[in-house]
Amino acid sequence: MKQNEGLHPDTLAITSGRPMPAPDAPLNTPISLSATLHAGGPLGYGRYGNETWSALEDAIGALEGGPTLVFSSGLAAIGAVFSLLPVGSVVTASDQGYSGSMALLRSLEEAGKIEVRYVTVSDTEQILAALPGTALVWLESPTNPCLEIADLPAIIREAKSLDCGVAVDNTFATPLNQRPLQMGADIVAHSVTKYLAGHSDVLMGSLSTSDSGLFGRLENARKLGGAIAGPFEAWLALRGLRTFPLRFERAQANAMEIAQRLAAHPMVESVNYPGLATDPFHDRARSFMDGFGAVLSFTLFATPEQTDKVCEASKVVMYATSLGGVESLWERRRRWSGESSSVSESLIRLSVGCEYVEDLWSDIENSLQSISQ
Ligand SMILES: *Cc1c(COP(=O)(O)O)cnc(C)c1O
């Protein structure tokens, strides 16, 4: 990755993960469809490595600042992290996070494999108090779906001083807004499905770590777990990553505008978006993040049924789960039984995409209007 030194992330997203230049060499790494490889090399077999994965890994690694492994989905990557924990390990984790990660932690706990200490991740004192004896701190910030911000620098510093492992799910913030490895985290996880790939057409996950021993153990977990990415999917994700900084810039600007307008709307009870000066996490986010992301959530003065109707009424914003694509998506989070009961029944999570902001706003206004007659 030497040729990457000193380059801006906007450039790295475009220049990294390319084949070595040579006359008539392709600019893009091909989709390498081969289950096995000629003997004698470092890879050897299609479950151990693939040249298309490597290109994507170089590109994500350049942005996160550490060697990277890609997996078949975000949850496969997260599962590989938890698979390294010895039986009986204590995990300290946010009580509000991606529902799949929460469900996975609960299932490991119920199977008697780990003990989980759930904390309010934005409450720094509470989380610091839970650290002694913790093997792994699992952090997600901003949180899903309430956009709370954890004081990552303070938590990571204290966790490392106590020798706790630290993993950060950086899906919402992306490496453009925060780089947990630089703060001292051991592992950064991504649902590449979201912003990095960015087109809602591929599922993929990644783990980045600067610790070579840990990298080897995670790579082994991938080999043995078999949750490997398809070469075509890796190629799609890398193609998407080339425009990630451009997409993210537009989506964040749209999100800021929509958050401000929602906050002034009479049907909206509250808006969660750390970019708003009135948001309780605004100052903390500003202190270490380079941007506020493009996911926001808001609560309506409405019943859950009316809230569902708002989501169904939109024409530009699509009614679907997930986030991070070029298209705006929204949903009432509590329509999922796995969503935390601490989340309001009338909360809509909106992943703001790259459409023209006035088209988005008219659509949102019309959808809100649809239940007010
Ligand atoms: C979507 C998501 C995941 C899971 O990723 P998949 O690619 O769907 O497996 C994990 N963490 C966060 C924060 C997510 O948004």
Side-chain angles (χ1 to χ4, degrees):
M1 275 190 234
K2 235 204 174 89
Q3 77 268 26
N4 292 335
E5 269 166 33
L7 294 178
H8 190 276
D10 291 4
T11 308
L12 290 175
I14 292 170
T15 57
S16 54
R18 303 238 181 224
M20 287 293 285
D24 277 346
L27 268 71
N28 294 301
T29 302
I31 304 169
S32 179
L33 295 170
S34 196
T36 191
L37 305 163
H38 286 287
L43 302 179
Y45 184 57
R47 183 158 36 79
Y48 305 160
N50 171 281
E51 116 184 72
T52 321
W53 304 349
S54 302
L56 175 61
E57 288 167 346
D58 283 354
I60 298 173
L63 295 175
E64 282 296 356
T68 296
L69 293 160
V70 294
F71 291 75
S72 53
S73 68
L75 212 51
I78 292 165
V81 175
F82 297 153
S83 79
L84 298 188
L85 292 167
V87 171
S89 298
V90 174
V91 174
T92 293
S94 166
D95 60 1
Q96 200 185 91
Y98 176 66
S99 54
S101 311
M102 297 289 99
L104 182 56
L105 282 172
R106 271 195 305 275
S107 75
L108 292 169
E109 196 179 17
E110 279 160 21
K113 293 184 180 154
I114 58 171
E115 181 194 322
V116 187
R117 292 177 186 160
Y118 292 101
V119 293
T120 303
V121 82
S122 56
D123 182 342
T124 309
E125 266 177 40
Q126 194 193 4
I127 189 164
L128 295 188
L131 290 180
T134 292
L136 176 72
V137 195
W138 179 258
L139 296 167
E140 204 184 299
S141 178
T143 62
N144 177 20
C146 292
L147 285 301
E148 293 184 6
I149 304 290
D151 190 348
L152 290 183
I155 298 165
I156 294 172
R157 200 180 319 116
E158 180 70 8
K160 292 322 293 174
S161 80
L162 293 171
D163 231 13
C164 313
V166 179
V168 180
D169 183 332
N170 210 24
T171 301
F172 271 49
T174 85
L176 293 184
N177 283 349
Q178 69 192 13
R179 285 156 303 281
L181 294 181
Q182 280 176 15
M183 299 178 202
D186 300 289
I187 299 172
V188 169
H190 271 282
S191 171
V192 177
T193 312
K194 313 292 168 52
Y195 288 106
L196 301 184
H199 294 75
S200 306
D201 54 6
V202 62
L203 281 145
M204 181 98 32
S206 71
L207 299 175
S208 305
T209 177
S210 311
D211 176 332
S212 59
L214 189 52
F215 183 91
R217 293 202 295 285
L218 292 167
E219 188 174 34
N220 204 43
R222 182 177 68 179
K223 274 183 194 168
L224 300 179
I228 56 166
F232 177 60
E233 284 72 14
W235 181 86
L236 270 180
L238 181 55
R239 190 181 206 274
L241 187 73
R242 299 297 183 210
T243 55
F244 155 58
L246 274 174
R247 289 184 279 104
F248 200 56
E249 189 178 324
R250 165 64 88 99
Q252 286 198 113
N254 281 353
M256 187 69 184
E257 188 62 36
I258 302 275
Q260 282 166 346
R261 294 189 193 186
L262 280 172
H265 195 286
M267 285 171 66
V268 174
E269 187 179 348
S270 59
V271 178
N272 303 311
Y273 185 64
L276 293 175
T278 49
D279 189 273
F281 298 103
H282 181 68
D283 290 338
R284 183 181 284 174
R286 276 189 46 168
S287 74
F288 67 91
M289 295 179 74
D290 295 330
F292 306 109
V295 178
L296 57 88
S297 60
F298 56 101
T299 306
L300 295 180
F301 289 115
T303 64
E305 294 71 28
Q306 289 174 315
T307 308
D308 280 332
K309 286 221 162 61
V310 168
C311 295
E312 287 161 15
S314 60
K315 300 202 162 56
V316 178
V317 179
M318 282 183 255
Y319 177 26
T321 195
S322 198
L323 57 110
V326 288
E327 60 288 301
S328 297
L329 304 177
W330 66 4
E331 64 173 340
R332 186 175 70 86
R333 278 303 294 175
R334 289 291 298 279
R335 77 189 176 98
W336 299 98
S337 60
E339 186 54 83
S340 164
S341 57
S342 64
V343 172
S344 163
E345 283 275 12
S346 304
L347 175 136
I348 294 176
R349 186 185 70 191
L350 168 61
S351 169
V352 182
C354 301
E355 301 90 342
Y356 179 53
V357 71
E358 299 302 339
D359 289 337
L360 283 176
W361 180 246
S362 320
D363 189 45
I364 291 169
E365 261 192 325
N366 290 339
S367 305
L368 291 171
Q369 197 61 35
S370 74
I371 60 159
S372 73
Q373 279 100 21

